[in-house]
Amino acid sequence: MSEIAPLGKLKDWFYRVEYQQRGSPHIHMLIWLENAPVFGVDKDEDVVNFIDQIISCRKPDNNDTELFDLPPMRSTQILHPLDDNASDTVIRARKELWKNIKNKLNDLKEGEDVTFDQLMKELDVSEYQYILAIRSSLNCPTIFLKRSPNELRINNYNPACLQAWRANMDIQFVLDVYACAMYIVSYISKAQKGMSDLLRNACAEAKEGNSTIKQQVRDIGNKFLNSVEISAQEAVYIILQLPMRKSSRNVKEMVESDTKWFAEKIAMENETEPRPTTVTCAKPSPGFKLTIDNVDYHQNVHYMTEHQNIDRHYVTVNATTNRISGNHLSTDSPVPGIKQMENGKCIPNHIEQKVQRANYITLVQRILVENIPCLEFGQDVVENHIHHKYSKEASQPTNSNFLGVIFESENDANGIQKILQELHGYVPFVGDGEERRYSSQAIVGDQLTVERAVNAHMTLSNGFTPEERLDGIHCEIADWHAGNKALGVRIYSN
């Protein structure tokens, strides 16, 4: 990053290159700045002063970079939605006033030299009424930059960045973390798609024949499965191996720690002579499990004649550190089959039966004091959990790290395979090529997710390389939906 830091010192950043219908690339980017004020924590005045330092919509002077409909404001402000205490008559009057203001702003000619006071006079409103009218249109706190009437159609920009970038930009300060999340889902993660000559030609060819509707759909689908259409700009990006997305963080360190330990463990197993007792192997981490869950995005539109509702299904990934290490356990499969096992080894002995009885007592007494009112006084004295050798470790809070979102759907076979292939990058390994050996890595999900993952894993089991077979991955069921529900957000848009 540049030492000039026109926006301030960067703490974190992420960007993704997207291509428009005509092929021109543009960037969606998120930036975290050090010592930036936080809306809702710091004062609104501090946030406004910070915004004025780095963001502008001022019409440039003649010697500035050339710039190619927002309400005018005397000064930068954070406006909040109005309270619901006003009467319906007052609310309707303010909304009608806002409608008149918008019509007036739309009629203003580009670059018309009108002062803010002249605009208020032409609208026949006071500045206070003007602000109330704007607030009546808001559903959440919104930033309005200092803007003259002749700067209505100028995007927010940073002067120093514009001198270097020399192209359109739109910089916004994030007030709402959920709005930022929706920006990520709606723009940064949206698919590259659009009506193109390929689609039109495929539809025309299907209609010309005498095939059935089912066969026409199949022909169009095959056309898209076997064809890829990209612009010249995107082709250049791919040929030059320019990054389509990049960020200031990665998660490779977690895998490298376990990989180092796994490599030494394999080396020790292959040695013919035991190591001296003074030589120690790299200390392994407790290991982790990759927990995956769905994140569903549904967007309703107002006008179905022009747009369609949007449904997208992605997968979130978390690395949950094991509180109890299993590194001492053997990864080898049992040599004899289940039929060769003696029945006596499966029958509990008298010691195991005694332990089982004590465990049942703990469970039953907890059920009694929780469900029988006259026994509630015993809740503070009965044991809440069955004691075992790992009780102390199991009582510690879970350490979970968010690894990001995989923008694929597990609902189709191709999507779940791509999800598993991306997760395979977290599996520790040692060696190269055909000699590469992978450690065991758990992928945890709900019952339906695991069922899909197992089926997808089985279809890849005949691969030629460990990477094609996804060696090391195994799936585990953990149904947490009964007690945990993710945030649901409904959005209405044009």
Side-chain angles (χ1 to χ4, degrees), residues 15 17 19 233 236-245:
Y15 75 79
V17 180
Y19 299 89
Q233 296 93 322
V236 171
Y237 263 76
I238 295 174
I239 293 173
L240 298 179
Q241 298 185 1
L242 299 176
M244 298 289 190
R245 60 180 178 179

Side-chain angles (χ1 to χ4, degrees), residues 202-268:
C203 293
E205 292 175 3
K207 291 179 180 179
E208 289 177 357
N210 297 322
S211 56
T212 63
I213 296 294
K214 182 177 180 180
Q215 185 61 39
Q216 290 180 21
V217 174
R218 183 177 297 166
D219 292 341
I220 295 173
N222 289 334
K223 191 77 173 179
F224 275 90
L225 287 175
N226 298 302
S227 304
V228 177
E229 186 176 31
I230 62 175
S231 65
Q233 296 93 322
E234 187 173 358
V236 171
Y237 263 76
I238 295 174
I239 293 173
L240 298 179
Q241 298 185 1
L242 299 176
M244 298 289 190
R245 60 180 178 179
K246 201 171 182 180
S247 65
S248 56
R249 297 197 181 194
N250 56 57
V251 293
K252 292 183 178 179
E253 290 79 5
M254 178 177 290
V255 179
E256 290 172 357
S257 172
D258 283 353
T259 299
K260 181 179 179 181
W261 166 79
F262 184 62
E264 292 200 20
K265 180 182 178 183
I266 296 299
M268 291 179 66

Side-chain angles (χ1 to χ4, degrees), residues 124-183:
D124 194 21
V125 296
S126 65
E127 185 174 353
Y128 177 74
Q129 293 173 319
Y130 176 75
I131 296 297
L132 287 179
I134 297 176
R135 291 177 60 189
S136 68
S137 67
L138 302 180
N139 295 319
C140 61
T142 306
I143 298 170
F144 291 88
L145 295 181
K146 178 181 178 181
R147 187 184 299 270
S148 299
N150 62 350
E151 298 169 340
L152 292 179
R153 298 169 181 87
I154 297 178
N155 276 348
N156 306 343
Y157 68 93
N158 176 269
C161 291
L162 189 64
Q163 293 283 348
W165 186 245
R166 299 186 65 83
N168 181 54
M169 65 176 62
D170 186 0
I171 302 178
Q172 299 182 35
F173 185 91
V174 175
L175 295 182
D176 187 355
V177 63
Y178 297 111
C180 180
M182 295 314 303
Y183 170 79

Side-chain angles (χ1 to χ4, degrees), residues 355-414:
V355 173
Q356 187 74 352
R357 180 176 179 274
N359 293 340
Y360 277 125
I361 291 175
T362 300
L363 294 176
V364 170
Q365 66 183 7
R366 189 177 67 184
I367 294 172
L368 293 177
V369 298
E370 289 180 352
N371 295 276
I372 300 178
C374 64
L375 298 179
E376 290 181 351
F377 66 90
Q379 291 187 7
D380 296 333
V381 295
V382 301
E383 293 180 316
N384 292 324
H385 302 282
I386 297 174
H387 287 286
H388 51 80
K389 60 186 296 186
Y390 299 113
S391 293
K392 181 179 180 180
E393 291 83 354
S395 63
Q396 301 301 314
T398 300
N399 181 20
S400 185
N401 295 287
F402 179 63
L403 300 183
V405 179
I406 299 177
F407 301 111
E408 299 288 347
S409 173
E410 67 169 54
N411 297 333
D412 60 84
N414 187 47

